[in-house]
Amino acid sequence: MFYRENGQFKTSYAADAQLFPILQDRLFILALLLAAFVLVPAWGSDYLLRALLIPFLILALAALGLNVLVGYCGQISLGTGAFMAVGAYAAFNLMARLPGMPLLLALLLAGLIAAAVGMVFGLPSLRIRGLYLAVATLAAQFLADWVFSHVAWLTHGSASGSVTAPHLDVFGLAIEGPVRKYLLCLTLLCVVALAVKNLVRGRKGREWMATRDMDVAASVIGISPVRAKLSAFGVSSFIAGIAGVLWAFVHLGSWEPAAFNIDMSFKLLFMIIIGGLGSVMGSFFGAAFIVLLPIALNRLPAMVGLQLSTSLVSHLELMVFGALIVFFLIVEPHGLARLWITAKNKLRIWPFPH
């Protein structure tokens, strides 16, 4: 009975169309942001920030970008890791070849470069779809792996493709230590998530979803599938490029092309399938699940007194991922986000069964 909207009247269109129309949701989000920005930096340990929260925030950002393309526009992509690599190496080259370039400007330019590359590889979506489009985007992944491993100019003379992130600072404030890195990732994630949430609720989001449901019908009512698909590839790759910069500069520090291999692309696809396609919240749920599950599988055998080898645990992780993907595709195709919405709807009528 504590999650009801009784007495919460809307007196304007703006109030009715706001992001969180129910007061309890607004209070929950405010409390969550307060805890994330204040309590976690004050009380979180270095291990919590470095090993859990920073990877979670960056992967949630990348999953959010992929969800724009797959969940909202319905275009299959297996090359998100390549677009992350483009963003990471673009930002590295910008900051290495243009000394004094601000980090935020390098982030923005790297995202735009990744968006341009994503739109180029999105051109096949104008003629093909489904499995054929997945194979076409997979070509981007293999091409990026080869280019960043063999073209030394892109890695500033490194023959192996291994590079080190430059010194990071924002408005003169050095981004050093887990707390400042965490706050940087959290701030960028909040800004991008808010932008995506408003974008999918607007005209562009309706174009994407109409194209996803039936592109022929969308073209009949005046929507250009060409513009919708290419814009989805551009926005998705832009977000993935920013996530790639954060993954390389903030989380890894030093990296090589293998850090953005096909495993990363598949992992991000698993996130949005488990978390929920076509849902901003699903990107967060999927990232949290992927980050926490390996840790839980590593610690669970010891907690119950079982001694398992490292190789068995790693294979067990893949088996659990596969089983969960099959489970969600059959039982709940909309993922954990749908379960969250169902729980909220049940709370709105609790304790009455109807």
Side-chain angles (χ1 to χ4, degrees), residues 36-79:
F37 278 98
V38 178
L39 298 183
V40 172
W43 298 96
S45 64
D46 286 356
Y47 172 78
L48 177 66
L49 295 174
R50 291 182 184 274
L52 295 180
L53 294 182
I54 291 178
F56 159 71
L57 295 174
I58 301 174
L59 291 177
L61 183 61
L64 189 61
L66 182 59
N67 221 338
V68 167
L69 182 62
V70 180
Y72 287 103
C73 197
Q75 308 303 303
I76 304 299
S77 175
L78 295 177

Side-chain angles (χ1 to χ4, degrees), residues 39-342:
L39 298 183
V40 172
W43 298 96
S45 64
D46 286 356
Y47 172 78
L48 177 66
L49 295 174
R50 291 182 184 274
L52 295 180
L53 294 182
I54 291 178
F56 159 71
L57 295 174
I58 301 174
L59 291 177
L61 183 61
L64 189 61
L66 182 59
N67 221 338
V68 167
L69 182 62
V70 180
Y72 287 103
C73 197
Q75 308 303 303
I76 304 299
S77 175
L78 295 177
T80 311
F83 305 137
M84 292 178 67
V86 170
Y89 281 100
F92 169 77
N93 276 276
L94 288 170
M95 298 185 71
R97 300 179 187 279
L98 299 175
M101 172 169 285
L103 174 62
L104 295 183
L105 180 58
L107 269 172
L108 178 61
L109 294 177
L112 292 175
I113 294 173
V117 174
M119 293 176 70
V120 170
F121 282 96
L123 290 175
S125 68
L126 308 181
R127 300 297 299 272
I128 59 178
R129 66 185 67 184
L131 181 62
Y132 302 100
L133 180 59
V135 174
T137 56
L138 190 61
Q141 182 67 59
F142 293 139
L143 180 61
D145 290 345
W146 185 89
V147 167
F148 292 121
S149 298
H150 293 81
V151 181
W153 186 87
L154 295 175
T155 57
H156 211 248
S158 175
S160 64
S162 177
V163 294
T164 301
H167 174 74
L168 306 179
D169 68 87
V170 176
F171 302 119
L173 181 65
I175 307 300
E176 298 176 349
V179 173
R180 291 184 179 179
K181 292 181 178 180
Y182 163 79
L183 289 175
L184 174 65
C185 296
L186 178 61
T187 302
L188 291 174
L189 176 60
C190 291
V191 171
V192 173
L194 181 62
V196 169
K197 186 65 176 179
N198 283 285
L199 193 61
V200 299
R201 294 167 71 239
R203 178 177 179 178
K204 182 57 66 176
R206 292 192 293 271
E207 289 182 359
W208 290 342
M209 289 181 277
T211 304
R212 173 196 64 190
D213 295 337
M214 188 174 292
D215 55 356
V216 176
S219 62
V220 169
I221 63 176
I223 295 174
S224 172
V226 174
R227 186 172 60 247
K229 292 178 181 179
L230 290 183
S231 63
F233 267 98
V235 172
S236 173
S237 302
F238 176 81
I239 299 174
I242 293 177
V245 177
L246 295 178
W247 187 260
F249 283 29
V250 176
H251 179 56
L252 297 179
S254 298
W255 74 95
E256 55 186 10
F260 302 100
N261 58 13
I262 192 172
D263 291 341
M264 175 65 77
S265 297
F266 278 117
K267 183 182 293 186
L268 293 172
L269 187 62
F270 296 162
M271 287 181 196
I272 62 173
I273 292 176
I274 295 175
L277 293 169
S279 169
V280 173
M281 186 64 70
S283 302
F284 291 90
F285 285 148
F289 191 88
I290 293 296
V291 170
L292 294 177
L293 181 62
I295 298 175
L297 291 178
N298 285 329
R299 296 189 176 185
L300 184 61
M303 294 175 61
V304 297
L306 295 177
Q307 297 295 330
L308 300 180
S309 63
T310 305
S311 60
L312 179 59
V313 172
S314 63
H315 286 85
L316 182 63
E317 177 183 333
L318 297 176
M319 294 167 60
V320 172
F321 281 158
L324 287 173
I325 290 172
V326 173
F327 171 80
F328 279 107
L329 288 176
I330 296 175
V331 178
E332 186 48 79
H334 296 287
L336 294 172
R338 184 60 187 177
L339 298 179
W340 172 257
I341 294 174
T342 302

Side-chain angles (χ1 to χ4, degrees), residues 8-27:
Q8 301 182 35
F9 302 107
K10 308 297 186 299
T11 57
S12 65
Y13 287 112
D16 189 53
Q18 59 186 327
L19 281 177
F20 304 103
I22 300 178
L23 176 62
Q24 292 87 332
D25 285 340
R26 295 197 295 273
L27 294 177

